[in-house]
């Protein structure tokens, strides 16, 4: 009897604890906030930083306040509160506080950002994101796309092969992505690019030729047109000097009487 009586309070306490935890989870589960990009975000000095968050809530819930904070080695600081105004003119909020924008990022702006959302009942939820400094600007590149029609069903995927001036390209000699369908031309020196597609549907070949008619002997296409203009100016200057010297020579050997007659006429 004693054991059974001692067992019931334990079960009741365990049941009550589980019920309270479940109730808390149910209350909080209706409100959540998360960043649209879960990975750390990189930004260079002097550029603009934009952090986007998304809030999920029940229909009957109202957002009472949205706050943004940044933590770094120098400590934590509050950046903005919605509704409200920011103290720093370079910081602004959009979309009812779920988007934070910082213009002209400085060293002090790198760190861990936290967005905290509070509803009308005082329940809070938050999410964090690391903002790191990007040291080197990303290089722009031109990409050739080899697109194969998939209108008809087939059992295999096309195998793509790229040629540059007749020489086959590999991952060691060229920058290819998306299974070889994209060829990045950064650092490439070819003029005739060929994409060959092999599959159960057959073989298809596509070519892309970079015109080199305006290329100068040293390989500088942009220098070709200015070089032509400079050459034309030099030729015209030489012709002008030649005509001027010829005129002076004729005047030098013309008798004075003939010069006077020519002037009077």
């Amino acid at each position: 009897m004693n054991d059974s009586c001692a067992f019931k309070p334990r079960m009741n306490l365990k049941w009550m604890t589980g019920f309270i935890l479940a109730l808390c989870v149910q209350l909080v589960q209706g409100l959540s906030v998360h960043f649209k990009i879960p990975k750390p975000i990189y930004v260079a000095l002097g550029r603009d930083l934009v952090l986007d968050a998304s809030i999920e809530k029940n229909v009957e819930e109202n957002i009472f306040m949205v706050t943004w904070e940044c933590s770094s080695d120098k400590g934590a600081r509050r950046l903005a509160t919605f509704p409200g105004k920011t103290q720093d003119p370079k910081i602004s909020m959009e979309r009812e506080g779920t988007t934070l924008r910082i213009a002209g990022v400085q060293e002090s702006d790198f760190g861990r950002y936290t967005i905290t959302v509070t509803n009308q009942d005082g329940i809070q939820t938050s999410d964090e994101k690391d903002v790191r400094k990007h040291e080197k600007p990303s290089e722009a590149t031109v990409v050739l796309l080899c697109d194969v029609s998939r209108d008809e069903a087939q059992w295999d995927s096309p195998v793509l092969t790229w040629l540059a001036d007749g020489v086959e390209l590999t991952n060691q000699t060229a920058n290819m992505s998306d299974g070889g369908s994209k060829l990045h031309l950064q650092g490439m020196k070819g003029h005739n690019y060929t994409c060959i597609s092999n599959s159960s549907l057959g073989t298809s070949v596509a070519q892309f030729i970079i015109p080199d008619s305006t290329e100068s002997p040293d390989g500088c296409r942009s220098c070709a047109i200015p070089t032509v203009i400079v050459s034309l100016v030099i030729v015209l200057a030489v012709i002008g000097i030649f005509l001027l010297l010829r005129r002076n020579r004729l005047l030098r050997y013309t008798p004075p009487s003939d010069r006077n007659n020519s002037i009077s006429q």
Side-chain angles (χ1 to χ4, degrees):
M1 292 293 295
N2 294 335
D3 294 338
S4 61
C5 293
F7 180 74
K8 289 182 180 180
R10 292 177 186 175
M11 289 296 297
N12 292 336
L13 180 61
K14 185 177 181 181
W15 182 86
M16 288 296 296
T17 303
F19 175 79
I20 294 174
L21 291 176
L23 181 62
C24 293
V25 171
Q26 185 177 4
L27 290 174
V28 179
Q29 197 172 18
L31 179 65
S32 65
V33 60
H34 61 273
F35 285 101
K36 295 182 178 180
I37 303 177
K39 297 180 180 180
I41 191 170
Y42 291 82
V43 62
L45 286 171
R47 299 293 179 172
D48 291 350
L49 169 65
V50 178
L51 296 176
D52 280 326
S54 179
I55 298 177
E56 296 180 0
K57 62 183 184 66
N58 295 328
V59 179
E60 62 273 9
E61 280 186 311
N62 295 321
I63 302 302
F64 175 72
M65 184 172 57
V66 178
T67 59
W68 287 87
E69 295 179 343
C70 178
S71 301
S72 62
D73 297 337
K74 297 181 180 180
R77 58 192 176 100
R78 177 165 292 190
L79 302 176
T81 302
F82 182 88
K85 296 182 179 180
T86 60
Q87 301 296 329
D88 194 335
K90 73 174 187 177
I91 300 177
S92 60
M93 290 181 294
E94 302 171 3
R95 297 174 56 249
E96 297 183 347
T98 58
T99 298
L100 181 73
R101 182 184 297 271
I102 301 179
V105 169
Q106 302 175 359
E107 288 285 353
S108 59
D109 295 321
F110 297 111
R112 173 164 294 185
Y113 283 74
T114 303
I115 179 175
T116 302
V117 179
T118 307
N119 68 0
Q120 75 277 10
D121 298 324
I123 298 176
Q124 292 184 336
T125 180
S126 62
D127 195 10
E128 297 179 342
K129 173 180 288 297
D130 289 333
V131 176
R132 302 173 183 175
K133 181 169 64 174
H134 189 62
E135 301 288 350
K136 184 180 179 181
S138 302
E139 294 184 358
T141 180
V142 178
V143 179
L144 292 182
L145 176 63
C146 186
D147 190 13
V148 182
S149 176
R150 305 293 180 91
D151 295 337
E152 298 178 355
Q154 62 189 89
W155 69 269
D156 61 345
S157 299
V159 177
L160 303 176
T161 303
W162 284 95
L163 305 177
D165 295 334
V167 180
E168 183 177 348
L169 300 177
T170 64
N171 291 327
Q172 287 72 32
T173 60
N175 184 6
M176 293 179 286
S177 60
D178 292 348
S181 61
K182 292 182 179 180
L183 175 63
H184 300 262
L185 296 184
Q186 183 72 22
M188 302 293 295
K189 298 181 180 180
H191 298 289
N192 189 346
Y193 294 90
T194 304
C195 177
I196 303 174
S197 171
N198 284 301
S199 69
S200 59
L201 299 181
T203 301
S204 179
V205 179
Q207 284 186 325
F208 179 80
I209 300 176
I210 299 178
D212 59 349
S213 58
T214 59
E215 184 174 352
S216 60
D218 60 351
C220 180
R221 297 191 182 97
S222 62
C223 301
I225 295 178
T227 301
V228 173
I229 296 176
V230 172
S231 301
L232 181 61
V233 171
I234 294 175
V235 171
L236 293 177
V238 171
I239 294 175
I241 294 173
F242 175 76
L243 294 176
L244 181 61
L245 293 175
R246 185 172 180 274
R247 179 177 178 276
N248 292 336
R249 189 180 297 111
L250 291 176
L251 292 176
R252 184 181 304 171
Y253 293 103
T254 301
S257 60
D258 294 342
R259 294 180 184 177
N260 296 331
N261 292 334
S262 61
I263 293 174
S264 62
Q265 291 177 359

